[in-house]
Amino acid sequence: MALISLKSVSYTYLKDTPLEKEALLNVSLNVEHGERIGILGKTGSGKSTLIQLIGGLIYPTSGEVYVKDKEIRKWNSKELCKIVGVVFQYPEYQFFAETVFEEVAFGPKNVGISEEKIEDCVKSALISVGLSYEEIKDRSPFHLSGGEKRRLAIASILAMDPEVLILDEPTANLDPRGKLQIMNYIDRWVDKKQKTLIIVSHDLDEVMRLVRRVIVLKAGEIIFDGPSERLFMSYDKLEEAELDLPEIVRLVKILQEKGYPIEGAFTVQEIV
Ligand code: ADP
């Protein structure tokens, strides 16, 4: 049983209006337990639409999405939140609570986790992102630094202990230090708890470090789905995906350092 399965999924915004926009076209894929998947593609390629469909926030215009073999419309939203946790772009813009504790506790309370377990959930989620519970729990979420805010927003999803963690551009607009911290905390949490990770990013560095399988979208269609090193060894696919070349050069270097056999495909010099 695949954890998540998309069968010929299409999604059209504003269907039957003059502004109709086909955002995803006939997308099929399976996500197995424990996989780490990166979704790549330039702006407008359908990445956010895809994760909203997986998170049950929107339903396909045609085709089906299954979570644990049950069609997504049949899931109760609270039960689905315990399986699929989605951290959207710039999640800190959605803070609403007066204290960090309340911000993180909202999700677990909402999905029915018992009152006596809430404190442990909040504590462990904050620790997972490197925030000290005692120091931070009574502070206002709005007064934290940029990196702390992002980590808090991620913690509020981790507190529900979802089986699949989906992150949309988790390190966007952070400085290199903040970015590295977040990547490390995500990596450790997923590893320690044996979770499934889906990460949307245009930061290829982040994708290479965190995932093993990449799915590349172009104009709503999957143009590549396979091991990340295979994508980075295929110049044709990279060109087709219209991904950022300087980023790719850096990645090829990382792959070479890790000892991947790049020589059969292309070298850094060839693509600079
Ligand atoms: P990405 O996340 O890769 O940037 P999106 O999934 O956000 O891509 O968007 C895919 C396509 O759907 C784009 O052409 C975008 O303009 C369009 N789109 C996204 N959201 C909406 C919306 N709410 N209404 C109309 N069109 C939308």
Side-chain angles (χ1 to χ4, degrees):
M1 171 184 81
L3 186 51
I4 292 165
S5 188
L6 272 71
K7 297 188 195 302
S8 306
V9 169
S10 297
Y11 188 83
T12 306
Y13 287 100
L14 304 167
K15 198 168 167 44
D16 301 326
T17 75
L19 297 174
E20 178 169 307
K21 173 77 202 174
E22 204 165 46
L24 278 187
L25 194 61
N26 226 2
V27 166
S28 294
L29 62 96
N30 282 340
V31 178
E32 305 293 343
H33 177 83
E35 278 199 290
R36 287 170 167 236
I37 301 174
I39 300 174
L40 299 178
K42 61 181 203 172
T43 303
S45 58
K47 305 181 297 294
S48 299
T49 305
L50 178 60
I51 60 169
Q52 289 183 69
L53 285 159
I54 296 175
L57 290 126
I58 53 176
Y59 296 135
T61 311
S62 67
E64 292 106 38
V65 178
Y66 291 89
V67 174
K68 293 191 164 181
D69 275 355
K70 183 159 130 181
E71 213 276 318
I72 199 142
R73 287 182 175 85
K74 296 191 178 134
W75 279 94
N76 162 311
S77 63
K78 289 185 180 176
E79 290 305 312
L80 190 60
C81 283
K82 292 187 207 163
I83 299 175
V84 185
V86 187
V87 181
F88 287 103
Q89 265 184 57
Y90 302 112
E92 56 277 12
Y93 293 159
Q94 282 159 37
F95 286 160
F96 60 92
E98 284 183 16
T99 66
V100 164
F101 184 93
E102 286 308 320
E103 190 68 51
V104 183
F106 178 80
K109 279 184 185 166
N110 200 35
V111 298
I113 291 175
S114 66
E115 204 58 46
E116 63 268 25
K117 286 191 185 153
I118 297 278
E119 192 177 322
D120 280 347
C121 283
V122 174
K123 230 182 234 178
S124 114
L126 288 172
I127 291 169
S128 299
V129 295
L131 296 171
S132 161
Y133 176 76
E134 289 302 334
E135 276 172 32
I136 211 168
K137 70 179 168 57
D138 298 321
R139 290 179 62 190
S140 162
F142 300 97
H143 295 155
L144 304 177
S145 72
E148 285 171 336
K149 280 184 182 163
R150 189 67 56 82
R151 285 189 274 150
L152 170 60
I154 294 172
S156 58
I157 297 295
L158 301 189
M160 284 182 280
D161 201 30
E163 289 179 41
V164 187
L165 177 64
I166 303 182
L167 299 146
D168 192 352
E169 304 279 4
T171 64
N173 264 12
L174 294 181
D175 60 28
R177 187 167 158 268
K179 182 175 148 177
L180 199 62
Q181 277 179 332
I182 286 188
M183 287 202 287
N184 286 339
Y185 289 124
I186 293 168
D187 192 24
R188 268 183 241 156
W189 186 83
V190 171
D191 200 40
K192 188 171 143 209
K193 302 197 131 208
Q194 298 290 295
K195 302 286 190 182
T196 305
L197 177 70
I198 299 177
I199 186 162
V200 168
S201 183
H202 61 251
D203 184 327
L204 299 177
D205 192 14
E206 183 175 282
V207 168
M208 276 306 298
R209 286 173 200 269
L210 290 176
V211 312
R212 326 239 177 289
R213 170 182 169 194
V214 287
I215 292 172
V216 182
L217 288 172
K218 186 174 183 185
E221 292 186 86
I222 293 182
I223 59 162
F224 178 89
D225 181 354
S228 41
E229 62 272 17
R230 191 147 60 78
L231 172 69
F232 294 116
M233 286 162 68
S234 165
Y235 191 30
D236 289 349
K237 275 289 162 212
L238 287 167
E239 257 202 323
E240 190 186 350
E242 295 170 26
L243 299 172
D244 183 12
L245 209 54
E247 278 281 289
I248 292 162
V249 173
R250 285 194 312 111
L251 279 162
V252 171
K253 283 181 181 158
I254 295 171
L255 282 170
Q256 285 176 326
E257 278 163 24
K258 285 186 174 175
Y260 284 107
I262 300 294
E263 73 282 353
F266 55 85
T267 63
V268 174
Q269 286 73 25
E270 274 175 57
I271 61 173
V272 178

